[in-house]
Amino acid sequence: MSQQSRNIYGGQAVIEGVMFAGKHVNVTAVRRKDNEIVFYEVPRTSQPWLQKLKKIPLVRGVVGILESSAKGSQHLNFSMEAYAEDHSDEEPDKPAKQEKSGWSLSMIVGVAVAGVLSFIFGKLAFTVVPAVLEGLIFGQADLNIIVHNLLEGLIKILFLLSYLYLISLTPLIKRLFQYHGAEHKVISAYEAGVELTVQNVQRFTRLHYRCGSSFIVFSVLVGVIVYSFFHWDNMWERIYIRILLLPVVLGASYEALRMTNAMRELPVLRFLGYPGLWLQKLTTKEPTDDQVEVSIASFNRMLEIDREMGQMSKTA
Protein backbone atom coordinates (compact mmCIF):
# COMPACT_ATOMS: atom_id res chain seq x y z
CA MET A 1 0.00 0.00 0.00
CA SER A 2 1.42 3.39 -0.94
CA GLN A 3 1.75 6.18 1.54
CA GLN A 4 -0.77 8.27 -0.38
CA SER A 5 -3.49 5.61 -0.04
CA ARG A 6 -3.05 5.21 3.70
CA ASN A 7 -5.49 6.70 6.14
CA ILE A 8 -4.45 9.57 8.38
CA TYR A 9 -4.41 8.59 12.06
CA GLY A 10 -3.81 10.50 15.25
CA GLY A 11 -3.45 9.69 18.90
CA GLN A 12 -2.39 10.84 22.31
CA ALA A 13 -0.19 9.67 25.14
CA VAL A 14 -1.82 8.47 28.35
CA ILE A 15 -0.36 7.28 31.63
CA GLU A 16 1.87 4.29 30.79
CA GLY A 17 0.30 3.93 27.36
CA VAL A 18 -0.93 5.35 24.08
CA MET A 19 -4.35 5.93 22.52
CA PHE A 20 -4.91 5.84 18.76
CA ALA A 21 -8.04 7.11 17.02
CA GLY A 22 -9.19 5.06 14.05
CA LYS A 23 -12.05 5.52 11.64
CA HIS A 24 -14.40 3.27 13.62
CA VAL A 25 -12.77 2.87 17.04
CA ASN A 26 -10.45 4.50 19.57
CA VAL A 27 -8.01 2.11 21.25
CA THR A 28 -5.77 2.62 24.25
CA ALA A 29 -3.00 0.19 25.21
CA VAL A 30 -1.55 0.44 28.72
CA ARG A 31 1.30 -1.55 30.26
CA ARG A 32 0.41 -2.75 33.74
CA LYS A 33 2.81 -3.29 36.60
CA ASP A 34 2.97 -7.05 35.89
CA ASN A 35 4.16 -6.17 32.34
CA GLU A 36 0.83 -7.16 30.75
CA ILE A 37 -0.52 -4.88 28.01
CA VAL A 38 -4.25 -4.25 28.42
CA PHE A 39 -6.59 -2.51 26.00
CA TYR A 40 -9.50 -0.10 26.27
CA GLU A 41 -11.60 -0.02 23.11
CA VAL A 42 -14.39 2.48 22.41
CA PRO A 43 -16.31 2.45 19.09
CA ARG A 44 -16.51 5.86 17.45
CA THR A 45 -20.00 7.20 17.02
CA SER A 46 -21.01 10.62 15.77
CA GLN A 47 -24.29 12.35 15.03
CA PRO A 48 -24.99 13.31 11.37
CA TRP A 49 -25.27 17.00 12.30
CA LEU A 50 -21.83 16.79 13.92
CA GLN A 51 -20.32 15.33 10.77
CA LYS A 52 -21.78 18.21 8.77
CA LEU A 53 -20.17 20.73 11.11
CA LYS A 54 -16.80 19.02 10.63
CA LYS A 55 -16.93 19.91 6.94
CA ILE A 56 -17.22 23.66 7.56
CA PRO A 57 -13.87 25.53 7.64
CA LEU A 58 -13.12 27.25 10.98
CA VAL A 59 -16.09 25.53 12.63
CA ARG A 60 -14.65 22.04 12.11
CA GLY A 61 -11.59 22.89 14.15
CA VAL A 62 -13.56 23.89 17.25
CA VAL A 63 -15.86 20.87 16.92
CA GLY A 64 -12.93 18.50 16.49
CA ILE A 65 -11.05 19.92 19.46
CA LEU A 66 -14.02 19.63 21.82
CA GLU A 67 -14.81 16.12 20.60
CA SER A 68 -11.19 15.03 21.04
CA SER A 69 -11.13 16.49 24.56
CA ALA A 70 -14.27 14.59 25.50
CA LYS A 71 -13.15 11.24 24.11
CA GLY A 72 -9.52 11.63 25.12
CA SER A 73 -10.48 12.22 28.74
CA GLN A 74 -12.13 8.80 28.90
CA HIS A 75 -8.95 7.07 27.75
CA LEU A 76 -6.78 9.16 30.05
CA ASN A 77 -9.03 8.31 32.97
CA PHE A 78 -8.73 4.60 32.13
CA SER A 79 -4.93 4.81 32.22
CA MET A 80 -4.93 6.83 35.45
CA GLU A 81 -7.11 4.28 37.22
CA ALA A 82 -4.93 1.41 36.01
CA TYR A 83 -1.83 3.26 37.23
CA ALA A 84 -3.42 4.04 40.59
CA GLU A 85 -4.43 0.42 41.05
CA ASP A 86 -0.92 -0.83 40.22
CA HIS A 87 0.68 1.57 42.68
CA SER A 88 -1.81 1.43 45.53
CA ASP A 89 -1.20 -0.19 48.90
CA GLU A 90 -4.58 -1.90 48.93
CA GLU A 91 -4.95 -5.48 50.11
CA PRO A 92 -4.40 -8.01 47.32
CA ASP A 93 -7.71 -9.68 48.03
CA LYS A 94 -9.69 -6.49 47.40
CA PRO A 95 -12.16 -6.91 44.51
CA ALA A 96 -10.71 -5.88 41.18
CA LYS A 97 -11.64 -2.54 39.70
CA GLN A 98 -14.67 -2.63 37.46
CA GLU A 99 -13.78 -2.84 33.76
CA LYS A 100 -14.52 0.16 31.62
CA SER A 101 -16.81 -1.94 29.46
CA GLY A 102 -19.13 -2.06 32.47
CA TRP A 103 -19.33 1.69 32.92
CA SER A 104 -22.78 3.17 32.88
CA LEU A 105 -23.69 5.74 30.24
CA SER A 106 -23.92 8.46 32.87
CA MET A 107 -20.35 7.74 34.04
CA ILE A 108 -18.97 7.90 30.49
CA VAL A 109 -20.85 11.13 29.76
CA GLY A 110 -19.63 12.58 33.05
CA VAL A 111 -15.99 11.93 32.22
CA ALA A 112 -16.47 13.34 28.71
CA VAL A 113 -18.08 16.52 30.03
CA ALA A 114 -15.29 16.90 32.60
CA GLY A 115 -12.72 16.63 29.82
CA VAL A 116 -14.42 19.33 27.74
CA LEU A 117 -14.79 21.63 30.73
CA SER A 118 -11.14 21.12 31.69
CA PHE A 119 -10.06 22.10 28.19
CA ILE A 120 -12.33 25.16 28.13
CA PHE A 121 -11.22 26.45 31.54
CA GLY A 122 -7.58 25.74 30.73
CA LYS A 123 -7.82 27.60 27.43
CA LEU A 124 -9.61 30.51 29.10
CA ALA A 125 -6.86 30.77 31.72
CA PHE A 126 -4.16 30.60 29.05
CA THR A 127 -5.96 33.38 27.17
CA VAL A 128 -6.91 35.69 30.02
CA VAL A 129 -3.89 35.52 32.36
CA PRO A 130 -1.27 36.69 29.78
CA ALA A 131 -3.57 39.54 28.72
CA VAL A 132 -3.91 40.69 32.34
CA LEU A 133 -0.18 40.40 32.98
CA GLU A 134 0.69 42.38 29.84
CA GLY A 135 -1.77 45.08 30.88
CA LEU A 136 -0.30 45.30 34.38
CA ILE A 137 3.29 45.46 33.12
CA PHE A 138 2.97 47.49 29.91
CA GLY A 139 -0.49 49.04 30.22
CA GLN A 140 0.82 52.54 30.86
CA ALA A 141 3.39 52.43 28.08
CA ASP A 142 2.73 54.45 24.92
CA LEU A 143 2.46 51.46 22.57
CA ASN A 144 0.11 50.68 19.72
CA ILE A 145 -2.26 47.72 19.84
CA ILE A 146 -0.06 45.53 17.65
CA VAL A 147 2.90 45.87 20.01
CA HIS A 148 0.65 45.13 23.00
CA ASN A 149 -0.57 41.98 21.26
CA LEU A 150 2.97 40.91 20.43
CA LEU A 151 4.01 41.35 24.05
CA GLU A 152 0.95 39.40 25.15
CA GLY A 153 1.91 36.61 22.76
CA LEU A 154 5.47 36.62 24.10
CA ILE A 155 4.15 36.27 27.66
CA LYS A 156 1.99 33.34 26.53
CA ILE A 157 4.99 31.62 24.99
CA LEU A 158 7.13 32.17 28.10
CA PHE A 159 4.28 30.99 30.32
CA LEU A 160 3.82 27.88 28.17
CA LEU A 161 7.52 27.00 27.97
CA SER A 162 7.99 27.47 31.72
CA TYR A 163 4.98 25.32 32.50
CA LEU A 164 6.04 22.50 30.17
CA TYR A 165 9.61 22.55 31.45
CA LEU A 166 8.59 22.41 35.10
CA ILE A 167 6.12 19.54 34.69
CA SER A 168 8.60 17.62 32.52
CA LEU A 169 10.89 17.39 35.56
CA THR A 170 8.45 15.05 37.33
CA PRO A 171 9.06 11.33 36.60
CA LEU A 172 5.42 10.59 35.70
CA ILE A 173 5.13 13.43 33.17
CA LYS A 174 8.53 12.58 31.71
CA ARG A 175 7.26 9.06 31.00
CA LEU A 176 4.06 10.54 29.55
CA PHE A 177 6.18 12.63 27.17
CA GLN A 178 8.15 9.48 26.23
CA TYR A 179 4.91 7.75 25.28
CA HIS A 180 4.04 10.89 23.30
CA GLY A 181 7.25 10.39 21.37
CA ALA A 182 6.41 6.70 20.87
CA GLU A 183 3.03 7.67 19.43
CA HIS A 184 4.65 10.01 16.89
CA LYS A 185 7.24 7.43 15.88
CA VAL A 186 4.59 4.77 15.17
CA ILE A 187 2.50 7.16 13.06
CA SER A 188 5.58 8.25 11.10
CA ALA A 189 6.62 4.64 10.52
CA TYR A 190 3.12 3.72 9.35
CA GLU A 191 2.99 6.71 6.99
CA ALA A 192 6.37 5.69 5.59
CA GLY A 193 4.99 2.23 4.83
CA VAL A 194 7.49 0.22 6.88
CA GLU A 195 6.72 -2.81 9.02
CA LEU A 196 5.82 -1.80 12.56
CA THR A 197 8.58 -3.42 14.56
CA VAL A 198 10.33 -1.82 17.52
CA GLN A 199 13.59 -1.59 15.60
CA ASN A 200 11.96 0.05 12.55
CA VAL A 201 9.85 2.47 14.58
CA GLN A 202 12.77 3.66 16.70
CA ARG A 203 14.52 4.90 13.55
CA PHE A 204 11.93 7.65 13.09
CA THR A 205 11.83 11.08 14.69
CA ARG A 206 9.67 11.74 17.73
CA LEU A 207 8.47 15.00 16.14
CA HIS A 208 5.39 15.18 13.91
CA TYR A 209 3.70 18.03 12.02
CA ARG A 210 0.13 17.12 13.05
CA CYS A 211 0.83 17.13 16.79
CA GLY A 212 -1.41 19.06 19.16
CA SER A 213 1.69 20.83 20.44
CA SER A 214 1.93 22.53 17.05
CA PHE A 215 -1.68 23.60 17.44
CA ILE A 216 -0.84 25.38 20.71
CA VAL A 217 1.87 27.42 19.00
CA PHE A 218 -0.43 28.33 16.13
CA SER A 219 -3.15 29.45 18.56
CA VAL A 220 -0.70 31.96 20.05
CA LEU A 221 0.51 33.28 16.68
CA VAL A 222 -2.98 33.40 15.15
CA GLY A 223 -4.28 35.12 18.28
CA VAL A 224 -1.77 37.95 17.87
CA ILE A 225 -3.05 38.53 14.32
CA VAL A 226 -6.77 38.21 15.06
CA TYR A 227 -6.72 40.41 18.17
CA SER A 228 -4.92 43.16 16.27
CA PHE A 229 -8.11 43.90 14.31
CA PHE A 230 -10.07 44.77 17.46
CA HIS A 231 -9.41 47.85 19.56
CA TRP A 232 -10.00 47.91 23.31
CA ASP A 233 -10.07 50.81 25.79
CA ASN A 234 -9.73 49.03 29.14
CA MET A 235 -8.76 45.71 30.66
CA TRP A 236 -12.30 44.34 30.94
CA GLU A 237 -12.97 45.10 27.30
CA ARG A 238 -9.70 43.48 26.34
CA ILE A 239 -10.59 40.27 28.23
CA TYR A 240 -14.12 40.27 26.84
CA ILE A 241 -12.85 40.51 23.25
CA ARG A 242 -10.40 37.66 23.76
CA ILE A 243 -13.02 35.35 25.22
CA LEU A 244 -15.48 36.25 22.46
CA LEU A 245 -12.91 35.61 19.73
CA LEU A 246 -11.53 32.41 21.24
CA PRO A 247 -13.56 30.11 18.92
CA VAL A 248 -12.32 32.12 15.92
CA VAL A 249 -8.70 31.77 17.05
CA LEU A 250 -9.08 28.03 17.66
CA GLY A 251 -10.76 27.49 14.30
CA ALA A 252 -8.18 29.52 12.39
CA SER A 253 -5.33 27.77 14.23
CA TYR A 254 -6.72 24.40 13.21
CA GLU A 255 -6.84 25.48 9.57
CA ALA A 256 -3.28 26.78 9.80
CA LEU A 257 -2.14 23.43 11.19
CA ARG A 258 -3.85 21.58 8.33
CA MET A 259 -2.21 23.90 5.83
CA THR A 260 1.31 23.45 7.20
CA ASN A 261 0.89 19.69 7.26
CA ALA A 262 -0.25 19.73 3.63
CA MET A 263 2.74 21.84 2.63
CA ARG A 264 5.38 20.12 4.72
CA GLU A 265 6.96 18.55 1.61
CA LEU A 266 7.47 21.94 -0.08
CA PRO A 267 11.09 23.02 0.51
CA VAL A 268 10.28 26.72 0.91
CA LEU A 269 7.04 26.55 2.90
CA ARG A 270 7.71 23.68 5.28
CA PHE A 271 9.31 26.13 7.74
CA LEU A 272 5.78 27.22 8.72
CA GLY A 273 5.53 24.09 10.84
CA TYR A 274 8.88 24.55 12.56
CA PRO A 275 7.61 26.43 15.66
CA GLY A 276 5.35 23.50 16.51
CA LEU A 277 8.18 21.04 15.98
CA TRP A 278 10.42 23.08 18.27
CA LEU A 279 7.80 22.98 21.02
CA GLN A 280 7.59 19.20 20.64
CA LYS A 281 11.18 19.03 21.82
CA LEU A 282 9.64 19.78 25.23
CA THR A 283 6.42 17.78 24.96
CA THR A 284 8.05 14.60 23.61
CA LYS A 285 10.99 12.55 24.83
CA GLU A 286 12.82 9.63 23.27
CA PRO A 287 10.89 6.47 24.20
CA THR A 288 12.30 3.16 25.38
CA ASP A 289 11.78 -0.02 23.37
CA ASP A 290 9.16 -1.17 25.90
CA GLN A 291 7.19 2.05 25.39
CA VAL A 292 7.37 1.73 21.60
CA GLU A 293 6.10 -1.84 21.97
CA VAL A 294 3.00 -0.55 23.77
CA SER A 295 2.43 2.07 21.09
CA ILE A 296 2.71 -0.53 18.32
CA ALA A 297 0.29 -2.82 20.15
CA SER A 298 -2.26 -0.01 20.44
CA PHE A 299 -1.93 0.95 16.78
CA ASN A 300 -2.15 -2.62 15.50
CA ARG A 301 -5.18 -3.33 17.65
CA MET A 302 -6.85 -0.18 16.32
CA LEU A 303 -6.14 -1.22 12.73
CA GLU A 304 -7.47 -4.72 13.38
CA ILE A 305 -10.77 -3.51 14.86
CA ASP A 306 -11.08 -0.81 12.20
CA ARG A 307 -10.87 -3.43 9.46
CA GLU A 308 -13.38 -5.69 11.19
CA MET A 309 -15.89 -2.90 11.78
CA GLY A 310 -15.36 -1.58 8.26
CA GLN A 311 -16.19 -4.98 6.77
CA MET A 312 -19.25 -5.29 9.01
CA SER A 313 -20.56 -1.90 7.87
CA LYS A 314 -20.15 -2.87 4.20
CA THR A 315 -22.09 -6.11 4.62
CA ALA A 316 -24.83 -4.56 6.79
Side-chain angles (χ1 to χ4, degrees), residues 17-20 29 31 37 179-187 196 201 289-301:
V18 176
M19 183 275 281
F20 282 107
R31 188 182 295 280
I37 298 177
Y179 276 107
H180 191 188
E183 174 225 328
H184 285 179
K185 283 174 175 275
V186 167
I187 291 178
L196 295 183
V201 170
D289 288 350
D290 287 346
Q291 291 168 329
V292 170
E293 182 184 13
V294 174
S295 186
I296 293 174
S298 177
F299 192 81
N300 284 338
R301 182 59 178 158

Side-chain angles (χ1 to χ4, degrees), residues 154-209:
L154 178 61
I155 292 174
K156 284 184 180 181
I157 293 295
L158 293 176
F159 179 75
L160 175 64
L161 294 178
S162 300
Y163 170 76
L164 291 175
Y165 173 75
L166 290 175
I167 66 173
S168 69
L169 298 178
T170 63
L172 184 61
I173 299 301
K174 180 181 179 180
R175 289 188 62 81
L176 181 71
F177 287 173
Q178 285 179 297
Y179 276 107
H180 191 188
E183 174 225 328
H184 285 179
K185 283 174 175 275
V186 167
I187 291 178
S188 295
Y190 171 79
E191 292 175 343
V194 304
E195 182 183 0
L196 295 183
T197 65
V198 172
Q199 183 178 8
N200 286 344
V201 170
Q202 285 284 36
R203 292 191 291 107
F204 288 85
T205 176
R206 72 179 196 267
L207 311 181
H208 199 283
Y209 268 79

Side-chain angles (χ1 to χ4, degrees), residues 12-294:
Q12 72 175 59
V14 297
I15 304 300
E16 294 301 327
V18 176
M19 183 275 281
F20 282 107
K23 183 178 180 181
H24 302 286
V25 66
N26 293 340
V27 175
T28 287
V30 170
R31 188 182 295 280
R32 301 298 297 266
K33 193 174 182 180
D34 61 3
N35 212 37
E36 177 188 8
I37 298 177
V38 297
F39 298 92
Y40 174 41
E41 302 156 2
V42 181
R44 297 189 67 172
T45 57
S46 184
Q47 299 297 325
W49 63 269
L50 201 58
Q51 292 300 321
K52 292 181 180 179
L53 289 178
K54 289 182 179 180
K55 297 179 180 179
I56 304 174
L58 295 181
V59 175
R60 61 188 173 191
V62 178
V63 173
I65 292 167
L66 294 179
E67 185 180 38
S68 297
S69 299
K71 294 181 178 179
S73 63
Q74 299 174 26
H75 293 261
L76 182 60
N77 195 73
F78 167 78
S79 68
M80 291 173 64
E81 289 194 1
Y83 181 86
E85 182 182 351
D86 284 342
H87 294 79
S88 67
D89 296 324
E90 297 173 350
E91 294 79 9
D93 58 344
K94 184 173 180 179
K97 172 176 59 68
Q98 181 184 11
E99 292 295 328
K100 290 292 184 183
S101 58
W103 274 25
S104 67
L105 177 61
S106 60
M107 294 172 66
I108 294 176
V109 172
V111 173
V113 171
V116 173
L117 291 178
S118 297
F119 169 80
I120 293 175
F121 283 118
K123 190 58 184 175
L124 284 175
F126 185 64
T127 299
V128 172
V129 172
V132 173
L133 288 177
E134 197 282 333
L136 293 175
I137 299 173
F138 302 102
Q140 302 303 318
D142 186 18
L143 304 172
N144 61 45
I145 189 171
I146 295 179
V147 175
H148 278 295
N149 288 334
L150 288 173
L151 290 172
E152 180 184 336
L154 178 61
I155 292 174
K156 284 184 180 181
I157 293 295
L158 293 176
F159 179 75
L160 175 64
L161 294 178
S162 300
Y163 170 76
L164 291 175
Y165 173 75
L166 290 175
I167 66 173
S168 69
L169 298 178
T170 63
L172 184 61
I173 299 301
K174 180 181 179 180
R175 289 188 62 81
L176 181 71
F177 287 173
Q178 285 179 297
Y179 276 107
H180 191 188
E183 174 225 328
H184 285 179
K185 283 174 175 275
V186 167
I187 291 178
S188 295
Y190 171 79
E191 292 175 343
V194 304
E195 182 183 0
L196 295 183
T197 65
V198 172
Q199 183 178 8
N200 286 344
V201 170
Q202 285 284 36
R203 292 191 291 107
F204 288 85
T205 176
R206 72 179 196 267
L207 311 181
H208 199 283
Y209 268 79
R210 290 198 311 272
C211 177
S213 301
S214 300
F215 174 80
I216 296 174
V217 174
F218 278 117
S219 68
V220 175
L221 300 178
V222 171
V224 171
I225 298 173
V226 172
Y227 298 148
S228 297
F229 290 95
F230 298 86
H231 180 76
W232 39 267
D233 295 318
N234 54 65
M235 180 59 68
W236 290 113
E237 187 175 326
R238 182 178 189 176
I239 294 174
Y240 170 77
I241 290 175
R242 271 137 185 76
I243 294 176
L244 192 65
L245 293 175
L246 186 55
V248 177
V249 173
L250 294 177
S253 301
Y254 177 82
E255 300 301 329
L257 182 61
R258 284 171 57 96
M259 180 184 68
T260 57
N261 184 65
M263 297 189 304
R264 62 178 176 172
E265 300 301 328
L266 299 179
V268 179
L269 299 179
R270 63 181 300 147
F271 75 91
L272 292 175
Y274 282 7
L277 296 178
W278 294 334
L279 182 60
Q280 289 176 47
K281 291 183 178 294
L282 277 179
T283 62
T284 66
K285 302 294 181 183
E286 283 295 332
T288 64
D289 288 350
D290 287 346
Q291 291 168 329
V292 170
E293 182 184 13
V294 174

